[in-house]
Amino acid sequence: MTQELATEPRVSAFSEDPMLVRKAFSHFPSGVAVLAVDIDDEKHALVASSFMVGVSLEPCLVSVAVQKTSETWEHIKSAPSLGVSIFGKGQGGLTRKLASKDRAARFEQVAIEVNESGSVFIEDAALWLECSIHEVTGAGDHWMVLLEVHKLGVGDNEPLIWHGSKFRELVDAQSIDIN
Ligand SMILES: Cc1cc2nc3c(=O)[nH]c(=O)nc-3n(C[C@H](O)[C@H](O)[C@H](O)COP(=O)(O)O)c2cc1C
């Protein structure tokens, strides 16, 4: 089969303007996670759409890319245990609150559960993981963080979707059998 040459090329060189790159990458949908810990009665939250599951199954590893400028990372990077909550349907406002500039106000009136190891979990999330930091590698202006999952829990809520700089919800599409 012959392929016609496209009149408009599919790809072109781009300026490394972070805003333009961010806009292009916003076409890729993801879930949104929050890494949260309680250290000496102070709670810290790091919201991340770069969170990804399934990096490895044995050991069970997930990943998250953290901006090197993150102040929260400086607090949580030596925590022995981190709580990860995957935001659920209807939690877009909560996601923004936990990512707000006022770090001290992030947890005001937020329903959470703190366990004995200091992991903080958000109520009504879609999925909860208790993790420890497995490996941290520099990746340009971010840290590529591998987390080892030690415990997990599945919630009843469907996951929230981040796409086009907006929060969206899942809708059922035609089912596709991948097996
Ligand atoms: C929807 C959404 C997704 C985000 N994804 C990331 C991410 O993947 N990595 C990251 O470092 N920051 C991400 N951020 C920004 C952080 O949550 C946080 O606002 C930023 O790190 C500054 O706060 P800090 O200095 O307390 O860490 C995201 C924020 C929002 C609202």
Side-chain angles (χ1 to χ4, degrees):
M1 195 165 68
T2 51
Q3 299 282 322
E4 282 186 32
L5 269 182
T7 44
E8 285 280 326
R10 288 285 170 268
V11 289
S12 50
F14 67 101
S15 123
E16 281 196 21
D17 174 346
M19 290 317 288
L20 292 178
V21 175
R22 205 181 279 237
K23 199 168 169 206
F25 285 177
S26 79
H27 290 250
F28 180 75
S30 69
V32 194
V34 58
L35 277 55
V37 283
D38 184 315
I39 304 168
D40 300 330
D41 281 334
E42 203 182 321
K43 289 171 193 62
H44 303 273
L46 203 162
V47 168
S49 56
S50 58
F51 180 82
M52 204 166 68
V53 295
V55 172
S56 163
L57 297 178
E58 284 183 23
C60 184
L61 301 176
V62 297
S63 70
V64 60
V66 177
Q67 292 167 17
K68 285 186 176 170
T69 53
S70 167
E71 284 178 33
T72 302
W73 177 246
E74 292 306 311
H75 287 88
I76 69 175
K77 68 181 184 188
S78 18
S81 182
L82 293 169
V84 177
S85 303
I86 306 301
F87 288 105
K89 196 170 165 177
Q91 293 189 315
L94 180 59
T95 303
R96 290 211 188 276
K97 182 170 168 54
L98 286 166
S100 64
K101 282 205 164 57
D102 186 357
R103 298 181 51 242
R106 284 180 184 170
F107 283 95
E108 274 172 14
Q109 289 166 353
V110 176
I112 54 167
E113 188 186 294
V114 185
N115 77 4
E116 65 292 344
S117 58
S119 289
V120 176
F121 299 104
I122 306 302
E123 292 298 309
D124 297 323
L127 173 68
W128 299 279
L129 311 172
E130 187 185 302
C131 302
S132 63
I133 295 169
H134 179 79
E135 198 179 317
V136 181
T137 317
D141 55 7
H142 280 59
W143 299 112
M144 194 64 217
V145 180
L146 289 180
L147 300 170
E148 180 164 358
V149 181
H150 300 286
K151 293 180 184 171
L152 56 80
V154 178
D156 292 330
N157 201 354
E158 289 197 327
L160 185 71
I161 308 299
W162 178 245
H163 174 254
S165 307
K166 286 190 196 125
F167 296 110
R168 296 172 182 264
E169 290 176 4
L170 286 175
V171 286
D172 286 337
Q174 226 180 342
S175 70
I176 301 165
D177 190 352
I178 57 166
N179 292 314

